[in-house]
Amino acid sequence: MNQELTEITVVGNDSTGLIARVTSLLFDRGVNIEDMDQAVRDDVFRMTLQVDTSGMDGSEADLRRSLTDLCDELGLDVKVRFPTRSEPDSIAVLVTKERHCLEAMLEEFAANGSGAEVEVVIGNHSELEPIAARYDVPFHDVGDSKGSPDEDELLGLLAEYDTDLIALARYIRILGPEVVFRYEKRIINVHPSLLPAFPGASAYMQAIEKGVRIAGVTAHYVTPDLDQGPIITQRAFNVPDDATEADLERRGQPLEAEALVEAVHLHLDGNVSVGRGRTHVQNPEERVLGLPSEIDQLNPAEPVDAEAPLDGNEGAPNQ
């Protein structure tokens, strides 16, 4: 999100004329649309606008009220995020049963006064509630006996806690478009592979079965397409020849937590943007996006293509 622009997200059932009605309202109030993106998935419509409200007619409250009234009429939900806020960013952490990423997130944002807070932990099982309680963070279980989440309840909780960012701390469920569309570029997942390799379930086992020598983890924005969102941070580790899935989990889990925390910081600091399907990071040298810089010293320096022409053979084709 551009930190100087207002973000408007509209979500609901798809029908004709929605874009025209919303953009006409903005035009009538002197709001300039800087960027607009829209999509439909499973008959769910989503439109996200980045708009300049600095010269609009009326107040922020007037605009929010007008958009809410229009979207109520159209059967849509609308979220307006103005660029100036004094309160800390609100983070919701979604979990299943693995604790390492949750513990890293709670420790990080309880300790360093970063201007963001983990306001709620939401699980599709209840096993991790004691960890949230240790940090005095509310915990809600939205899963049934099989762990299938109630996404209406999930959305209600995200709205109740005025969530700015969702961190999937090994949340082993696919989010539906009703959630993803409402929090476009505001959901960060960590996946146990070097995406785009080995998406989906059992990624460490996939790595073993393919015989890779290097595996890793990836923190990325969530899109409606499974494990295809823009990559933010990655970490890598060697895979021993006789490694088991449990071995890779032990090697990978600390890196999963580290990559997720790093990606969340980049997002909250406004240092990561998305364009043409990939992320762009401001001042990347200040953050560890992939392997530590010391690794570069271990890479061989030669041979490389020489700049000087070959003796009498410049441009000669291979025989």
Side-chain angles (χ1 to χ4, degrees):
M1 176 181 174
N2 185 318
Q3 300 299 306
E4 302 301 319
L5 298 176
T6 294
E7 181 181 85
I8 301 170
T9 303
V10 177
V11 178
N13 292 331
D14 188 32
S15 64
T16 302
L18 300 179
I19 295 174
R21 293 289 301 276
V22 174
T23 55
S24 293
L25 183 151
L26 297 175
F27 176 80
D28 290 342
R29 282 155 181 74
V31 175
N32 187 44
I33 299 173
E34 300 284 348
D35 186 62
M36 182 177 71
D37 180 59
Q38 60 89 26
V40 177
R41 177 64 65 91
D42 298 334
D43 292 325
V44 178
F45 167 81
R46 188 269 306 163
M47 177 170 60
T48 303
L49 304 103
Q50 303 287 336
V51 303
D52 182 358
T53 56
S54 60
M56 70 177 174
D57 298 328
S59 66
E60 292 181 356
D62 291 336
L63 178 62
R64 192 189 300 274
R65 184 167 49 252
S66 296
L67 283 167
T68 299
D69 290 345
L70 174 63
C71 288
D72 285 346
E73 176 190 337
L74 298 174
L76 303 172
D77 292 336
V78 62
K79 178 76 170 180
V80 184
R81 298 179 176 94
F82 292 100
T84 55
R85 329 178 20 131
S86 57
E87 65 270 20
D89 286 295
S90 172
I91 304 172
V93 180
L94 272 58
V95 298
T96 296
K97 295 183 178 181
E98 295 183 31
R99 61 190 294 167
H100 54 288
C101 286
L102 172 62
E103 288 182 321
M105 286 289 298
L106 291 172
E107 182 67 23
E108 179 72 12
F109 290 98
N112 70 0
S114 64
E117 296 178 4
V118 175
E119 297 280 357
V120 63
V121 178
I122 304 172
N124 62 317
H125 292 278
S126 61
E127 273 84 343
L128 300 185
E129 184 172 3
I131 297 176
R134 187 193 313 158
Y135 287 84
D136 198 27
V137 175
F139 183 96
H140 298 270
D141 180 3
V142 299
D144 62 15
S145 60
K146 297 181 180 179
S148 298
D150 182 333
E151 289 204 340
D152 289 335
E153 184 179 357
L154 171 60
L155 284 170
L157 289 167
L158 295 174
E160 176 184 340
Y161 288 93
D162 196 19
T163 299
D164 296 298
L165 178 67
I166 302 170
L168 304 186
R170 300 298 289 128
Y171 179 69
I172 316 299
R173 287 287 174 173
I174 298 173
L175 292 174
E178 288 279 0
V179 178
V180 175
F181 279 171
R182 283 171 170 78
Y183 294 89
E184 187 86 1
K185 300 184 183 70
R186 291 178 179 274
I187 309 174
I188 297 176
N189 180 46
V190 63
H191 182 74
S193 82
L194 291 172
L195 292 174
F198 314 136
S202 303
Y204 287 139
M205 180 54 69
Q206 291 183 61
I208 291 171
E209 291 172 347
K210 291 296 184 181
V212 301
R213 298 302 183 187
I214 298 173
V217 306
T218 302
H220 65 98
Y221 284 116
V222 172
T223 67
D225 299 308
L226 178 63
D227 294 331
Q228 300 298 308
I231 291 168
I232 308 172
T233 58
Q234 293 186 301
R235 299 290 189 272
F237 57 89
N238 287 322
V239 179
D241 190 61
D242 59 350
T244 65
E245 185 176 22
D247 292 332
L248 297 198
E249 288 177 352
R250 282 190 292 270
R251 289 171 178 254
Q253 285 180 349
L255 297 179
E256 293 169 15
E258 182 180 281
L260 178 62
V261 168
E262 188 75 8
V264 167
H265 273 301
L266 283 164
H267 175 93
L268 294 173
D269 293 344
N271 286 330
V272 59
S273 59
V274 179
R276 298 186 177 181
R278 59 162 296 169
T279 60
H280 304 272
V281 177
Q282 297 179 18
N283 306 316
E285 67 279 356
E286 297 178 4
R287 294 289 187 182
V288 180
L289 305 180
L291 293 171
S293 58
E294 291 81 4
I295 297 297
D296 293 338
Q297 306 303 316
L298 301 178
N299 289 339
E302 294 180 348
V304 295
D305 286 344
E307 294 182 2
L310 301 175
D311 294 339
N313 293 315
E314 183 178 5
N318 294 330
Q319 300 297 319

